Amino acid sequence: MAALPQISEAEYEVMKIVWKYAPVSTNEITERLTAVTDWSPKTVQTLIKRLVNKGALTYEKQSRVFVYTPLVEEQEYVNAESSSFLKRFYNGDITAMLSAYLEEDRLSEEDIRSLRSLLSSSSKKGGE
């Protein structure tokens, strides 16, 4: 499996648009991002070009319009980034991460109920 490209936070915002709307034109990406950021159209175009150069996006020219599709699957990227975060900040120990969140009161009662439900259903699927 080829290594996933390193994607900056700004580039990730572009990727989220492409993952959601692909195939999507430069103008559509630009319109969606300039509506929710203070980025200029030139900035968005630069980010798109970087993603193409990194191998995260591909494009085809349809008439006079460039249309982009992802070369990286969203779930694959999110899984890799989640794993990287866990390794980098918690030595890969999810219990340490959850403990830190609990100690800092970052988890609501609803979050805790959801986690209990997930753990309960997971243990039923995997056996005891």
Side-chain angles (χ1 to χ4, degrees), residues 7-103:
I7 297 174
S8 72
E9 287 187 43
E11 292 165 347
Y12 183 64
E13 293 303 314
V14 174
M15 289 301 296
K16 289 193 297 188
I17 299 295
V18 177
W19 282 321
K20 187 170 184 176
Y21 300 103
V24 61
S25 72
T26 307
N27 288 343
E28 290 173 90
I29 296 169
T30 302
E31 286 172 15
R32 290 183 185 283
L33 286 172
T34 56
V36 296
T37 67
D38 59 358
W39 299 343
S40 72
K42 182 83 172 145
T43 298
V44 175
Q45 290 171 7
T46 298
L47 292 169
I48 292 169
K49 185 175 182 179
R50 285 184 194 166
L51 288 164
V52 169
N53 291 339
K54 289 180 177 186
L57 292 180
T58 188
Y59 66 91
E60 67 179 49
K61 192 170 183 184
Q62 296 178 356
S63 301
R64 296 170 49 195
V65 177
F66 288 93
V67 177
Y68 297 87
T69 54
L71 290 173
V72 173
E73 294 295 324
E74 182 176 18
Q75 196 58 54
E76 180 184 14
Y77 181 77
V78 169
N79 289 345
E81 286 296 306
S82 297
S83 180
S84 174
F85 171 83
L86 193 60
K87 285 177 189 166
R88 181 174 176 200
F89 293 103
Y90 297 98
N91 276 343
D93 185 351
I94 195 161
T95 303
M97 184 188 80
L98 288 172
S99 294
Y101 274 74
L102 284 168
E103 289 170 15

